[in-house]
Amino acid sequence: MQAALRRRLGGLRRALRGPGPEAAPRPRCVGPGVPPALRCWSCGSPLRGAEGPPHFCPGCRALQPPEPRPDLFRLMECDRSFRIDPQRLQRRFRSLQRAVHPDRFGQRPPKEQYYSEQHSSLINKAYQTLLNPLSRGLYLLELNGVEPAQETDCDADSVFLTEIMEINERLAEPKNEAILEEIETLIKVKQEELTKEVTAAFERDDLQEAKKLLAKMKYFANLEDKLKNKKIPS
């Protein structure tokens, strides 16, 4: 009787405590915030130790697809800054193109050939974006969540707009090589001055000032395009 009573009490205590750790497997740590492990499209190997970017499979060395929204500064091994080293940027550009140029993948599977074309195009875009001060500045604004200025944002600066209007009027005059050379020099000087001001604005983290200055740079970039078209032999 006493043994049976002890067995019943023990079972009751276990029921009140709930199942022990052996009663059910512990839940796996998966869910939001835990991305699945990336694997090579060719051999299925995990890509945790892959080189990159661009990524090559550490197992079979197959070129992997580019990231959906890559950081162009990271891709080109540059600090996320308006101030860059053009020579270092060019060296990185050439190194990447040697690694992924489609000519190197002519004997590879069609999928890998396609990825090499994507990478090559992306590297060209990254190089041109970061090399040009205007596009580099606009990209930095984008990374910081700042919308670029619209043309109407410069309407309050009447002195600046008058200067732009005067240059436009001179470009509309009959073609004169001396005047075109003078305008070309003026635009170059103005762009260099604005580039220095934008550099200072980004370095003191004044994104709104950088935004205004980049809008002015855009006006001069449009004048540069008009000047180039004017200089094309008719």
Side-chain angles (χ1 to χ4, degrees):
M1 288 288 296
Q2 290 182 347
L5 181 60
R6 283 197 295 271
R7 285 195 297 270
R8 291 182 61 188
L9 289 174
L12 179 61
R13 283 194 291 268
R14 285 193 296 272
L16 291 173
R17 284 199 303 265
E22 299 79 16
R26 298 180 65 180
R28 297 177 61 191
C29 185
V30 295
V34 184
L38 295 177
R39 293 187 174 274
C40 173
W41 62 269
S42 179
C43 70
S45 297
L47 295 176
R48 186 168 297 136
E51 299 174 7
H55 294 294
F56 288 87
C57 173
C60 69
R61 303 301 301 161
L63 179 64
Q64 303 301 304
E67 298 173 10
R69 290 181 60 84
D71 183 325
L72 302 186
F73 284 98
R74 177 172 172 264
L75 173 63
M76 304 306 289
E77 293 186 343
C78 295
D79 293 333
R80 191 182 280 193
S81 167
F82 187 73
R83 192 188 294 273
I84 65 165
D85 182 344
Q87 293 183 340
R88 180 178 175 184
L89 179 66
Q90 187 179 66
R91 287 195 298 270
R92 174 64 174 169
F93 167 73
R94 290 175 175 172
S95 173
L96 288 174
Q97 284 292 20
R98 282 195 299 269
V100 303
H101 197 276
D103 288 349
R104 294 194 58 193
F105 293 83
Q107 304 302 316
R108 302 293 294 173
K111 180 179 285 190
E112 196 168 1
Q113 293 178 30
Y114 174 63
Y115 291 154
S116 74
E117 293 171 0
Q118 285 188 309
H119 277 289
S120 185
S121 176
L122 173 62
I123 291 162
N124 281 328
K125 173 189 173 184
Y127 178 68
Q128 295 299 331
T129 298
L130 300 188
L131 183 64
N132 181 274
L134 175 58
S135 55
R136 181 169 69 248
L138 293 174
Y139 182 58
L140 268 175
L141 290 183
E142 178 187 335
L143 290 177
N144 284 279
V146 178
E147 291 288 333
Q150 304 299 318
E151 290 187 5
T152 54
D153 292 343
C154 288
D155 287 351
D157 194 337
S158 58
V159 175
F160 172 76
L161 292 177
T162 299
E163 182 180 23
I164 296 297
M165 189 183 306
E166 290 174 351
I167 298 174
N168 266 313
E169 289 172 353
R170 296 181 70 187
L171 283 172
E173 295 173 359
K175 189 173 180 179
N176 182 304
E177 292 296 336
I179 291 178
L180 293 181
E181 291 296 328
E182 182 182 333
I183 294 174
E184 184 175 23
T185 300
L186 173 62
I187 292 175
K188 182 179 179 181
V189 169
K190 291 292 185 179
Q191 289 286 55
E192 288 175 351
E193 291 174 353
L194 284 168
T195 299
K196 291 179 182 177
E197 293 177 33
V198 173
T199 301
F202 273 116
E203 290 184 347
R204 64 174 181 268
D205 204 28
D206 189 345
L207 300 182
Q208 291 305 314
E209 179 64 15
K211 173 179 174 177
K212 294 177 185 177
L213 293 167
L214 288 166
K216 293 183 177 181
M217 288 184 73
K218 193 170 183 179
Y219 273 96
F220 280 109
N222 291 335
L223 290 175
E224 281 181 313
D225 290 339
K226 291 181 181 180
L227 178 64
K228 289 176 183 177
N229 291 331
K230 187 81 172 183
K231 293 178 74 173
I232 294 175
S234 54

